[in-house]
Amino acid sequence: MNQPIDRRDALAAFGVMGAAALAGSAFGQPQSPLKGFPTPAEKPGMTPQQMGFDPDSGEYVLPPLPYAKNALEPHIDAQTMEIHHDKHHASYVAGANKALKALREVREGGDPGLVKHWSRELSFHACGHINHTLFWNMMAPAGKGGGGEPKGAIAAAIAKDFGSFEKFSAHFKAAAGQVEGGGWAWLVYEPVAKKLLVIQEEKQQNMMVTGARPLLGVDVWEHAYYLKYQSGRAAYVEAFMKVVNWGFVGQLFEKAAG
């Protein structure tokens, strides 16, 4: 019989995640927050529940989408959202739980030679889980929080660090288009230089700048777009920009930079 994963083990895993360098980030969604999420006015730090971890069961869990599966159409189709969330994201949750359990068994007398393998599995799957939890909330239906251009502090920061929103957008789309194989493009806040960067992330976790706070990420694994766009990654990324939830991105930035 499987034992629940120790809560401390799961919380400690947050420290190994590339795109999960978010311990102080805001996590609110003004249009349609995930069930149980605090309102933006509360300006919370990260909680286990917000990142898809259930303290009662001691396991990672799959958060529901913050909108209907067809809500992002015509830009992101319902079938892709269903497969992406219910199958791919769910597999990362299962993989992270499996890795945590295996590492606990190693500590309790198992083969220490497996630490490297299960540590890599934990990094990949836990990053996949957190990346996707953010990703769903970084989008909103067009005209209902999604699309357009950023406002406020995040808009000013983009103009300062990239020259203009148009220059940022071109840079971000080019980065997404040039990710080799599967991975992500991210807009991040780098706290040492206190500036925004656009970076690529191979797989779920490789190449993330240490300590960087993720603000906006686009998944460019083929499962994110192939049903609708086939090999047209550029067209998919262009469509993604039409559903970016800049309100949520702005909240992440203000918390990260504050």
Side-chain angles (χ1 to χ4, degrees):
M1 181 175 181
N2 292 336
Q3 297 179 350
I5 294 169
D6 184 84
R7 181 175 187 273
R8 291 172 298 176
D9 292 344
L11 293 177
F14 289 143
V16 306
M17 301 168 194
L22 350 132
S25 298
F27 205 104
Q29 220 268 21
Q31 289 78 29
S32 50
L34 295 179
K35 182 179 179 181
F37 277 32
T39 64
E42 293 177 88
K43 294 191 179 298
M46 293 302 298
T47 69
Q49 292 90 340
Q50 290 166 350
M51 292 313 305
F53 176 72
D54 180 6
D56 293 331
S57 67
E59 294 188 337
Y60 292 110
V61 294
L62 178 67
L65 288 170
Y67 34 69
K69 290 171 182 174
N70 65 353
L72 303 181
E73 291 185 339
H75 308 294
I76 311 293
D77 62 285
Q79 186 180 12
T80 293
M81 290 295 294
E82 180 174 5
I83 295 171
H84 198 172
H85 176 268
D86 296 0
K87 302 296 184 182
H88 291 281
H89 189 171
S91 73
Y92 300 134
V93 173
N97 286 332
K98 182 177 180 179
L100 284 172
K101 181 176 182 291
L103 287 167
R104 185 183 66 220
E105 290 173 349
V106 169
R107 292 193 298 273
E108 293 174 351
D111 181 3
L114 293 175
V115 166
K116 182 176 182 179
H117 167 75
W118 287 114
S119 294
R120 286 179 170 177
E121 287 291 294
L122 176 60
S123 180
F124 176 78
H125 287 98
C127 283
H129 171 40
I130 290 183
N131 289 354
H132 284 82
T133 301
L134 287 170
F135 181 58
W136 310 131
N137 285 272
M138 289 169 173
M139 297 185 288
K144 297 181 180 180
E149 296 187 10
K151 298 178 181 179
I154 182 63
I158 285 173
K160 177 178 72 71
D161 291 332
F162 296 98
S164 68
F165 175 74
E166 291 73 19
K167 291 179 180 179
F168 154 73
S169 182
H171 184 168
F172 184 79
K173 288 186 284 188
Q178 295 172 41
V179 171
E180 294 184 350
W184 298 70
W186 286 95
L187 171 67
V188 302
Y189 177 74
E190 199 282 281
V192 175
K194 300 185 183 301
K195 67 180 298 180
L196 300 177
L197 302 173
V198 168
I199 63 172
Q200 295 174 319
E201 183 182 55
E202 292 177 352
K203 298 181 181 179
Q204 309 284 8
Q205 74 282 19
N206 298 339
M207 298 173 63
M208 176 62 76
V209 177
T210 299
R213 301 291 181 85
L215 305 178
L216 175 65
V218 58
D219 185 351
V220 293
W221 288 75
E222 286 190 343
H223 62 241
Y225 62 89
Y226 196 79
L227 287 179
K228 181 176 178 65
Y229 294 98
Q230 298 295 297
S231 60
R233 182 190 289 186
Y236 156 70
V237 174
E238 192 70 45
F240 167 79
M241 297 300 289
K242 292 180 172 62
V243 294
V244 171
N245 184 349
W246 286 110
F248 179 70
V249 175
Q251 291 172 27
L252 293 179
F253 171 71
E254 290 180 25
K255 189 69 177 183

